Amino acid sequence: MTTEVRRVVAVTVASELVRAGQTTLWLAERSGIAHPALQKKLAMKVDFTVADLADIAAALDIAVTRLTPTSDER
């Protein structure tokens, strides 16, 4: 994942979390991603995996495509 893609994904996940009115702890519990790992991903220190994004999308009840950058954002 490039630095820009990592940034776009992290910002998008954070935005969707705010839109849902939930916390990172809630998302960690619902997605099965350890809270410290999720925080590192949101801080752009570690890449999200495709499996992470699928789990996050399921937890937020949204399409995984809402979490992935468009060609304009890459």
Side-chain angles (χ1 to χ4, degrees), residues 42-59:
L42 289 169
M44 297 172 262
K45 295 178 181 175
V46 178
D47 289 341
F48 284 91
T49 67
V50 172
D52 292 335
L53 295 178
D55 292 339
I56 290 167

Side-chain angles (χ1 to χ4, degrees), residues 1-68:
M1 199 177 273
T2 67
T3 302
E4 181 59 17
V5 171
R6 183 185 293 167
R7 185 192 68 76
V8 169
V9 171
V11 167
T12 303
V13 170
S15 296
E16 289 293 337
L17 188 57
V18 168
R19 184 196 58 74
Q22 298 296 342
T23 66
T24 58
L25 185 56
W26 175 90
L27 183 58
E29 290 171 357
R30 292 283 303 257
S31 66
I33 301 169
H35 191 246
L38 179 60
Q39 289 178 310
K40 287 179 183 176
K41 293 169 191 285
L42 289 169
M44 297 172 262
K45 295 178 181 175
V46 178
D47 289 341
F48 284 91
T49 67
V50 172
D52 292 335
L53 295 178
D55 292 339
I56 290 167
L60 294 170
D61 195 28
I62 60 173
V64 72
T65 56
R66 287 190 35 190
L67 301 176
T68 57

